[in-house]
Amino acid sequence: MLIRISETQVINIQQATGLYIAKKLNWYEVRCTMIDNEYVIKKCTLKRQALETLDKILSQYDRGQRVIKL
């Protein structure tokens, strides 16, 4: 599954080694760790929003190769 993280950048989630939520100063980030890099998929103000984003990624993971925008 491909995830569009900006207007010019798309990552292949099948190459991910980890998906997690990181707490920063006043926000939460849904992050994706790859073998060679780490990407911020989405920044959220509430932990609930970050959990919903992560849930959306995981629930659509097995539905075939397509691009989703969060």
Side-chain angles (χ1 to χ4, degrees), residues 8-69:
T8 59
Q9 196 169 23
V10 176
I11 60 172
N12 186 350
I13 207 73
Q14 291 179 332
Q15 297 173 349
T17 58
L19 286 168
Y20 63 96
I21 297 172
K23 171 108 168 82
K24 297 298 178 182
L25 294 175
N26 294 327
W27 68 89
Y28 295 89
E29 294 178 343
V30 178
R31 296 182 145 265
C32 177
T33 305
M34 306 291 245
I35 293 173
D36 60 345
N37 208 347
E38 188 170 52
Y39 298 97
V40 175
I41 295 175
K42 187 172 182 182
K43 290 183 180 180
C44 303
T45 55
L46 299 173
K47 187 175 184 178
R48 179 179 44 85
Q49 292 171 329
L51 287 170
E52 288 171 358
T53 301
L54 188 59
D55 231 16
K56 183 176 180 181
I57 293 169
L58 295 176
S59 69
Q60 294 187 19
Y61 182 74
D62 62 344
R63 294 188 184 175
Q65 191 71 292
R66 63 180 187 209
V67 178
I68 63 169
K69 178 152 175 60

